Amino acid sequence: MSVTLQKSVLEQAQEDFIAQWGALGTAWGINRTMAQIHALLLISPEPASTDEVMEHLEISRGNANTNLREMVGWGLARSVLKRGDRKEYFEGEKDVWKIFCIIARERKRREIEPASLVLKNCAENTRGLATAEAKVFHRQMVELGEFVGLTSSILEKIAASEQSKVMPKAIKLFS
Amino acid sequence: MSVTLQKSVLEQAQEDFIAQWGALGTAWGINRTMAQIHALLLISPEPASTDEVMEHLEISRGNANTNLREMVGWGLARSVLKRGDRKEYFEGEKDVWKIFCIIARERKRREIEPASLVLKNCAENTRGLATAEAKVFHRQMVELGEFVGLTSSILEKIAASEQSKVMPKAIKLFS
DNA sequence: TTATATTTTCAATATTTTCTGAAAATTCAA
DNA sequence: TTGAATTTTCAGAAAATATTGAAAATATAA
């Protein structure tokens, strides 16, 4: 005999949030499981253990462990200890601005900086070449490189700021 | 007997650019082939045919066709005709700012808007619930939703602007 | 028409990424 | 120490994604 417990509206919304946030993970360059764990910790009032994460998301121990570890590495989660308990518990970062900054920095590091490096090299290696074609290419690399570099530094500045300092400015400029 | 032609410095740099730009494609949510074609068209002085793309990147006709088509859809390439020639040629968008805006818009559409929708729904469905836990969850969804919505509208404004209007402001604010 | 050039489609295949589960390593209380 | 609890690792399996290649569709010239 199988019993289906009625889910409360709240539980339903929470599950939706976790499922959909996870689905979005891919688009955000974050894998699905990590995004789901992030969602779970975000709405969890108490820190959760690896076992709780495994159970709630129905994932393996290895998967849970690896992703929790990586989240701690990013700063999206912190590990906390409960006295009298050997288990490790994890608490999600809940400040929206901090989450944004962490993700922005990580993406800058993984996406923008390598691009910038490629462009710099290509520009450097073709400096001073005489043919028209080479000059065009060199110019393109310089231009792209400058653009990417500027973008990078803007992102860096934003991610290093307080939300209360950036948002008002941004709103003023763009609303 | 195999003959290896000496590659010029320029050719070497161009191949590097194509290869590395392609490798970065993944990180950018753009597939490798599309990024490589983009790089190729970007530095190609003349529009290129499907066959030229295939040959240069050593990819299949189906792959070349599909990705060129998609690039035209995004606005990253335009199809041009040469009189007296039945083939279709493709020209890459070369304006850095325009490329940036196209990618920003596409990512907003694919990443930010779905996220915003999820959050709105979760907030809506838990409006007015009485328990403390529900109130916390509702508040989190509202807060996240507002943040994402604001980010989205800022990105929209930027992508709709002229480079010459945005960049000076940005530089002033963040340099 | 008909023949030929070109483009599109898509089932099959290959590649990449993610996940599992169990064994190994580590930690800690007794 | 020993042994139970917990965490980590990683080879192989599964799932997701990208690519091929050839047949079908379409377009054009003669």
Side-chain angles (χ1 to χ4, degrees), chain B residues 20-32:
Chain B
Q20 305 237 230
W21 202 250
L24 287 169
T26 310
W28 282 89
I30 288 167
N31 79 38
R32 209 171 47 124

Side-chain angles (χ1 to χ4, degrees), chain A residues 79-106:
Chain A
S79 122
V80 300
L81 337 155
K82 291 191 183 180
R83 27 195 244 98
D85 192 337
R86 278 166 66 173
K87 275 211 201 68
E88 203 174 2
Y89 289 78
F90 298 91
E91 175 179 75
E93 171 59 61
K94 303 200 175 182
D95 181 313
V96 178
W97 179 252
K98 281 191 189 156
I99 293 169
F100 170 81
C101 292
I102 287 168
I103 293 177
R105 263 210 211 82
E106 189 66 18

Side-chain angles (χ1 to χ4, degrees), chain A:
Chain A
M1 194 179 84
S2 102
V3 176
T4 307
L5 289 171
Q6 176 68 46
K7 252 178 218 120
S8 72
V9 174
L10 175 63
E11 281 167 337
Q12 189 54 59
Q14 289 182 329
E15 297 214 343
D16 282 359
F17 174 63
I18 291 171
Q20 306 238 228
W21 202 249
L24 286 170
T26 310
W28 282 88
I30 289 166
N31 78 40
R32 209 171 47 123
T33 303
M34 191 161 142
Q36 285 187 341
I37 297 179
H38 179 227
L40 178 61
L41 293 185
L42 192 64
I43 64 176
S44 175
E46 296 297 317
S49 68
T50 302
D51 291 84
E52 284 161 350
V53 170
M54 286 168 61
E55 190 178 344
H56 201 116
L57 302 180
E58 300 185 74
I59 61 176
S60 72
R61 182 172 303 285
N63 196 9
N65 179 269
T66 304
N67 283 101
L68 280 166
R69 209 46 58 200
E70 197 176 354
M71 284 178 71
V72 171
W74 282 38
L76 288 173
R78 273 175 299 278
S79 122
V80 300
L81 337 155
K82 291 191 183 180
R83 27 195 244 98
D85 192 337
R86 278 166 66 173
K87 275 211 201 68
E88 203 174 2
Y89 289 78
F90 298 91
E91 175 179 75
E93 171 59 61
K94 303 200 175 182
D95 181 313
V96 178
W97 179 252
K98 281 191 189 156
I99 293 169
F100 170 81
C101 292
I102 287 168
I103 293 177
R105 263 210 211 82
E106 189 66 18
R107 291 186 83 158
K108 170 174 173 296
R109 193 178 67 71
R110 290 194 302 182
E111 301 172 18
I112 299 182
E113 281 166 7
S116 187
L117 219 62
V118 170
L119 295 167
K120 271 204 186 63
N121 279 333
C122 290
E124 195 47 54
N125 295 342
T126 52
R127 164 156 301 139
L129 292 182
T131 66
E133 197 191 350
K135 283 183 177 168
V136 171
F137 178 77
H138 176 72
R139 180 101 282 283
Q140 282 179 314
M141 293 303 108
V142 170
E143 200 180 313
L144 268 173
E146 280 170 0
F147 186 82
V148 172
L150 184 53
T151 306
S152 176
S153 84
I154 289 172
L155 209 54
E156 180 63 44
K157 292 268 166 43
I158 292 175
S161 306
E162 297 290 321
Q163 177 170 20
S164 59
K165 290 194 71 178
V166 172
M167 281 317 209
K169 277 188 193 173
I171 290 166
K172 205 169 164 191
L173 272 179
F174 296 112
S175 305

